[in-house]
């Protein structure tokens, strides 16, 4: 059976570059894997009362069910104020509860950070990494995936233009899959 890799883009914006990268990764899906885009649009802000009083909104149950079924996760994060955008952090928090039933536990992850600027969302990349350590997600260390000038990478149809960065993104996906198979995804 195919291994399923969930792809989470940390933005709600219609024209989000992170979402465009997520879609582009579908073209790089290797044999034996299924890449699945996970929609974060309808997930409400986490409130612990949901779980404590058995009032979990349907969108949260749907998200947890979807994430429980994946074997690994690629996080595509933009950066807000040198950290992880709230929408991505909220998705992580929602999936981490109720206590003891985290959807993230032991799932191999990769972080692809991106920005229109030069610094490639380095701050968000490493803040996210800190949460993944706590969530017990082994996370690919090399190559580190920092994507700069993301606004220059796509054509008018939202497809990745031929470029060194496109080649690098494909290499990063291949590296993640090789690492997943060798170390943790058997
Ligand atoms: C930004 N942006 C930004 N960029 C960056 O490289 N470092 C940063 O700290 C920030 N901070 C920031 C805060 C807020 C509130 C906004 C709205 C934006 C710019 C950001 O990289 C840009 O808007 C991206 O296009 C957002 O990602 P998506 O939506 O294209 O995936």
């Amino acid at each position: 059976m195919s291994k399923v890799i969930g792809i989470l883009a940390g933005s709600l914006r219609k024209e989000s570059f992170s979402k465009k990268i997520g879609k582009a990764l579908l073209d790089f899906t290797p044999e034996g894997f299924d890449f699945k885009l996970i929609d974060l649009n309808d997930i409400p802000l986490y409130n612990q009362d949901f779980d404590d009083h058995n009032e979990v909104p349907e969108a949260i149950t749907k998200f947890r069910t979807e994430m429980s079924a994946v074997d690994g996760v690629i996080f595509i994060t933009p950066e807000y104020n040198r950290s992880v955008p709230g929408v991505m952090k909220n998705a992580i928090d929602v999936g981490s509860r109720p206590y003891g039933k985290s959807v993230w536990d032991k799932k191999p992850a990769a972080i692809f950070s991106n920005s229109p600027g030069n610094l490639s969302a380095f701050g968000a990349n490493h803040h996210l990494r800190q949460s993944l350590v706590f969530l017990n997600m082994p996370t690919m260390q090399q190559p580190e995936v920092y994507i700069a000038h993301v606004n220059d990478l796509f054509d008018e149809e939202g497809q990745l233009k031929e470029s060194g960065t496109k080649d690098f993104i494909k290499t990063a996906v291949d590296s993640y899959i090789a690492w997943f198979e060798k170390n943790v995804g058997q």
Side-chain angles (χ1 to χ4, degrees):
M1 232 170 69
S2 293
K3 295 280 185 193
V4 182
I5 306 298
I7 298 175
L8 269 69
S11 173
L12 303 182
R13 202 167 72 86
K14 274 203 294 289
E15 292 298 320
S16 158
F17 298 120
S18 309
K19 286 183 179 173
K20 286 179 185 170
I21 293 172
K23 282 196 195 119
L25 296 194
L26 300 182
D27 290 341
F28 301 146
T29 309
E31 218 182 302
F33 283 79
D34 183 14
F35 281 7
K36 184 166 190 235
L37 296 174
I38 308 286
D39 186 0
L40 306 184
N41 271 34
D42 297 326
I43 303 177
L45 278 179
Y46 185 63
N47 177 339
Q48 196 182 332
D49 287 340
F50 296 155
D51 288 309
D52 289 352
H53 302 298
N54 205 17
E55 294 166 352
V56 181
E58 204 178 308
I60 289 189
T61 302
K62 179 170 173 276
F63 175 70
R64 288 174 175 165
T65 304
E66 269 184 316
M67 291 314 301
S68 296
V70 308
D71 300 293
V73 185
I74 298 178
F75 293 93
I76 304 172
T77 190
E79 180 172 84
Y80 279 6
N81 300 307
R82 295 284 179 261
S83 190
V84 183
V87 64
M88 180 69 99
K89 182 62 166 57
N90 186 55
I92 287 170
D93 296 340
V94 162
S96 70
R97 295 285 154 149
Y99 186 77
K101 293 195 176 163
S102 169
V103 301
W104 309 113
D105 193 43
K106 299 191 186 73
K107 291 190 176 158
I111 300 171
F112 291 17
S113 64
N114 72 93
S115 167
N118 285 327
L119 299 182
S120 318
F122 175 89
N125 188 309
H126 285 266
H127 280 181
L128 181 53
R129 212 166 272 274
Q130 177 172 315
S131 292
L132 302 194
V133 170
F134 179 65
L135 293 168
N136 198 26
M137 300 184 84
T139 302
M140 182 173 76
Q141 301 200 28
Q142 293 292 339
E144 296 172 279
V145 186
Y146 304 117
I147 302 167
H149 306 296
V150 68
N151 51 317
D152 292 334
L153 298 183
F154 297 94
D155 64 20
E156 281 168 13
E157 278 77 50
Q159 304 290 319
L160 270 179
K161 295 187 275 194
E162 292 306 321
S163 69
T165 307
K166 178 178 178 178
D167 298 341
F168 172 66
I169 292 171
K170 168 133 187 13
T171 300
V173 170
D174 291 345
S175 301
Y176 170 68
I177 294 298
W179 170 80
F180 178 102
E181 287 183 317
K182 192 168 166 202
N183 295 303
V184 274
Q186 301 294 335

